[in-house]
Amino acid sequence: MRKLVIDGHSHVTIPIENHIRLMDEAGIDKTVLFRTGVHPELKGSNDEIKEEMQQLQKYLTGDPAIADSYGEAAHEELFKAINKYPNRFICFGNISLNKDLGTMTKNIQTQISKHHILGIGELALPSGQIHKLENVFKASSQTACLPLWIHCFNPMTLEDILQIEQLAKKYPSVPVIIGHAGGSNWLETIDIVKRNPNIYIDTSAAFSSLVLKLIIKELPDKTFYGVDYPYGDMWVMRKMIERACPDKNIREKVLGGNIMKLLKIE
Amino acid sequence: MRKLVIDGHSHVTIPIENHIRLMDEAGIDKTVLFRTGVHPELKGSNDEIKEEMQQLQKYLTGDPAIADSYGEAAHEELFKAINKYPNRFICFGNISLNKDLGTMTKNIQTQISKHHILGIGELALPSGQIHKLENVFKASSQTACLPLWIHCFNPMTLEDILQIEQLAKKYPSVPVIIGHAGGSNWLETIDIVKRNPNIYIDTSAAFSSLVLKLIIKELPDKTFYGVDYPYGDMWVMRKMIERACPDKNIREKVLGGNIMKLLKIE
């Protein structure tokens, strides 16, 4: 039986039919879809795209409160796309980091029951503020122990990733996905993922095939294929994984099996 | 007539026949080859490869004096590979940053006459030390005005890249290639390259196809295809460029024409 290919991390784009078409081209069966505050794919001129990317940087590295300004509309867009193609998308929800624990827990429960979310993310913070994630870990541990997907490329530092590790140790029932393989801190991230049963690694935004090869060799059961569409190219990222991983069994795990197991997808 | 495809940035690897085989697979006619202090491709176990990559980090981000410890042997390896396949490789030399201007100038002249170098690099420094490159700019401007190829991924910051810009303005006869598109600072790097006629951009270590597409659209005459082998995959990086650039004429320029023009290759 052919194994499912799952893009473990992409953002909702408009029109969503374009997304489906690109998934078909790359042979992706399902995509774990995340909300977004920006839509570079809708911009025409270079200047408009650059402006949108500047906005993205602000969202990724600015105060988490900024996310509240676009969060609700972004969620609606996400849920609409998933309702339209429920067999092609898997939903990760998100929550405001500025709410108290009770509100967070309630929000997660609502998103689970209404939108069947299987994880929470993309969680993005400025460097030095990982402590703001503690309530999310707590809320997840008190509900369905949904995995948390955390942006760990720039501006995240090794110190930030080490603090994520501390939270993962404190809440061992909560799976954590280190987004973008920890960026330039991939070498130390491999060891962090290896020594913590509840930490996993996403490979979107990979900038080196040699590094990717090493990550897969070191973490064959914990590495996830991810595209980060519209920033990555689904087809290119799949080829990159395939060429970095000659072993068919491990390749199938990285391209889908590992995340299916974590998310308990049949 | 078919246009040449040129990988604008890769390191010498052993055995060099492997390198040639991969160039053939990816349809690369010529590679601009740089020396290296590490050889992850020769290591067997994951631990050995990780150790080698740690060493690489030290070379890239440590005191430039470290390069002196391996520089001579690395040069010999490079020149040997190029002498074996003179039609497939273009040589970039390198110089110690700890020498006085007279010695630097003499070294460059020797490398030009003996090894026909067409550029200098990869120049890598810790963040905050770009001023150490001034003598290299001066030495280049006093000899053949060879292009300088500077590592601008992590740990380089935007401030470092802005200081490179200042040196490029002070020595307008010296072409500068911003390596790895400035890493996370690609957005500001686009504008820096655009406003300085003697600054160019290398795309190796690209981590986003959308970013790559924008760089090519903004800088169609100044963008170079680069693999950074053994870290990048020649075939994957070529496909990434091709998919990011639907315009055939611009694609040919990025894949070879632009760097041929800069290096005055027939």
Side-chain angles (χ1 to χ4, degrees):
Chain A
M1 203 185 80
R2 193 180 69 83
K3 304 283 182 182
L4 289 191
V5 173
I6 300 182
D7 165 10
H9 178 69
S10 277
H11 295 278
V12 57
T13 56
I14 297 168
I16 199 68
E17 282 65 33
N18 240 347
H19 200 124
I20 296 283
R21 185 180 56 75
L22 292 168
M23 283 170 66
D24 289 342
E25 184 207 19
I28 296 169
D29 297 291
K30 290 174 190 284
T31 291
V32 183
L33 206 61
F34 296 68
R35 74 178 191 188
T36 182
V38 295
H39 282 292
E41 78 279 6
L42 288 181
K43 304 299 173 185
S45 74
N46 292 359
D47 284 347
E48 283 173 323
I49 297 172
K50 284 161 76 181
E51 213 174 284
E52 198 77 348
M53 294 300 280
Q54 249 154 353
Q55 192 64 27
L56 174 66
Q57 284 307 316
K58 217 181 287 175
Y59 288 165
L60 284 176
T61 67
D63 192 284
I66 300 175
D68 295 347
S69 65
Y70 68 83
E72 208 173 321
H75 258 150
E76 268 175 44
E77 221 172 49
L78 172 70
F79 299 144
K80 198 176 147 194
I82 286 168
N83 286 338
K84 200 164 181 186
Y85 295 99
N87 295 326
R88 302 301 298 274
F89 293 124
I90 294 156
C91 189
F92 267 42
N94 213 325
I95 47 172
S96 166
L97 298 183
N98 291 305
K99 298 283 189 282
D100 59 88
L101 181 63
T103 311
M104 272 191 187
T105 308
K106 213 174 135 191
N107 278 351
I108 292 175
Q109 277 165 334
T110 307
Q111 288 183 47
I112 291 173
S113 60
K114 278 185 73 175
H115 304 289
H116 316 292
I117 64 167
L118 293 187
I120 296 163
E122 173 171 4
L123 297 161
L125 299 124
S127 178
Q129 303 198 12
I130 293 301
H131 60 274
K132 290 191 179 169
L133 288 180
E134 174 139 18
N135 267 352
V136 190
F137 276 84
K138 211 177 273 180
S140 173
S141 74
Q142 291 175 6
T143 51
C145 295
L146 294 185
L148 309 183
W149 202 106
I150 308 175
H151 175 89
C152 289
F153 207 75
N154 261 354
M156 289 296 101
T157 63
L158 179 56
E159 186 48 44
D160 294 314
I161 301 173
L162 288 167
Q163 284 183 27
I164 292 170
E165 181 187 18
Q166 289 316 307
L167 287 172
K169 281 188 191 304
K170 196 166 168 187
Y171 300 92
S173 65
V174 179
V176 175
I177 302 167
I178 302 287
H180 318 302
S184 290
N185 300 299
W186 61 268
L187 195 56
E188 298 84 355
T189 298
I190 287 177
D191 292 334
I192 292 169
V193 176
K194 207 183 255 184
R195 67 183 175 233
N196 291 279
N198 57 328
I199 305 190
Y200 299 80
I201 190 164
D202 154 82
T203 56
S204 63
F207 53 83
S208 160
S209 283
L210 185 141
V211 167
L212 186 63
K213 195 171 188 165
L214 198 56
I215 290 173
I216 295 172
K217 273 170 79 180
E218 291 266 288
L219 304 161
D221 299 306
K222 293 179 125 190
T223 304
F224 305 148
Y225 163 50
V227 174
D228 202 10
Y229 187 77
Y231 311 105
D233 178 312
M234 301 182 203
W235 185 89
V236 167
M237 296 309 288
R238 178 169 178 179
K239 292 292 170 200
M240 203 170 167
I241 295 269
E242 287 176 353
R243 287 175 64 93
C245 183
D247 183 298
K248 186 172 172 281
N249 286 335
I250 296 175
R251 196 164 63 225
E252 285 177 350
K253 287 202 266 187
V254 172
L255 285 176
N258 289 340
I259 202 158
M260 283 177 74
K261 199 171 165 192
L262 173 66
L263 303 182
K264 301 181 187 72
I265 302 167
E266 290 302 307
Chain B
M1 202 185 82
R2 194 180 70 82
K3 305 283 183 182
L4 290 190
V5 172
I6 300 183
D7 165 12
H9 178 69
S10 276
H11 295 277
V12 58
T13 55
I14 298 170
I16 199 68
E17 283 64 33
N18 241 347
H19 199 125
I20 297 282
R21 185 180 55 74
L22 292 168
M23 282 170 67
D24 289 342
E25 184 207 17
I28 296 169
D29 298 290
K30 291 174 188 285
T31 291
V32 183
L33 207 61
F34 295 68
R35 74 178 193 188
T36 181
V38 295
H39 282 292
E41 78 280 6
L42 288 181
K43 304 299 174 186
S45 74
N46 292 359
D47 284 346
E48 284 173 321
I49 299 173
K50 282 161 79 182
E51 214 173 283
E52 199 76 349
M53 294 300 280
Q54 248 152 354
Q55 192 64 26
L56 175 66
Q57 284 307 316
K58 218 181 286 174
Y59 288 164
L60 284 177
T61 67
D63 192 285
I66 300 174
D68 294 348
S69 65
Y70 68 82
E72 210 175 320
H75 259 151
E76 269 175 42
E77 221 173 49
L78 172 70
F79 299 144
K80 198 176 147 195
I82 288 169
N83 287 337
K84 201 163 180 188
Y85 296 98
N87 295 326
R88 303 302 298 274
F89 294 124
I90 295 156
C91 189
F92 266 43
N94 214 325
I95 46 172
S96 165
L97 299 183
N98 291 304
K99 298 284 189 283
D100 59 88
L101 181 63
T103 312
M104 272 191 189
T105 308
K106 213 175 134 190
N107 278 351
I108 292 175
Q109 277 166 333
T110 307
Q111 288 184 45
I112 291 173
S113 60
K114 279 185 74 174
H115 303 290
H116 315 291
I117 63 166
L118 294 186
I120 297 164
E122 175 172 1
L123 298 161
L125 298 124
S127 179
Q129 302 197 13
I130 292 302
H131 59 275
K132 290 191 179 169
L133 288 180
E134 174 139 19
N135 268 352
V136 190
F137 276 83
K138 213 177 273 181
S140 173
S141 74
Q142 290 175 5
T143 51
C145 294
L146 294 185
L148 309 183
W149 202 106
I150 309 174
H151 175 90
C152 289
F153 207 77
N154 261 355
M156 289 296 102
T157 63
L158 179 57
E159 186 47 44
D160 294 313
I161 300 173
L162 288 168
Q163 284 183 27
I164 292 170
E165 182 187 18
Q166 289 316 307
L167 287 172
K169 280 187 191 303
K170 196 167 167 186
Y171 300 93
S173 65
V174 179
V176 176
I177 302 167
I178 302 287
H180 318 302
S184 290
N185 301 299
W186 60 269
L187 194 54
E188 298 84 356
T189 299
I190 287 176
D191 292 334
I192 293 169
V193 176
K194 208 184 255 183
R195 67 183 173 231
N196 291 279
N198 58 327
I199 306 189
Y200 299 80
I201 190 164
D202 154 83
T203 55
S204 63
F207 53 83
S208 161
S209 283
L210 184 140
V211 167
L212 186 62
K213 196 172 189 163
L214 198 55
I215 290 172
I216 295 172
K217 273 170 80 180
E218 291 267 287
L219 304 160
D221 299 306
K222 294 179 123 191
T223 304
F224 305 147
Y225 163 49
V227 174
D228 202 10
Y229 187 75
Y231 311 105
D233 178 312
M234 301 182 204
W235 185 90
V236 167
M237 296 310 288
R238 178 170 178 176
K239 292 292 173 202
M240 202 170 168
I241 296 269
E242 287 175 352
R243 287 175 64 92
C245 183
D247 182 297
K248 187 172 172 281
N249 287 334
I250 296 175
R251 197 164 63 225
E252 285 176 350
K253 286 202 268 187
V254 172
L255 284 177
N258 289 340
I259 201 160
M260 284 177 74
K261 200 171 164 191
L262 173 66
L263 302 182
K264 302 181 187 70
I265 302 169
E266 291 302 309

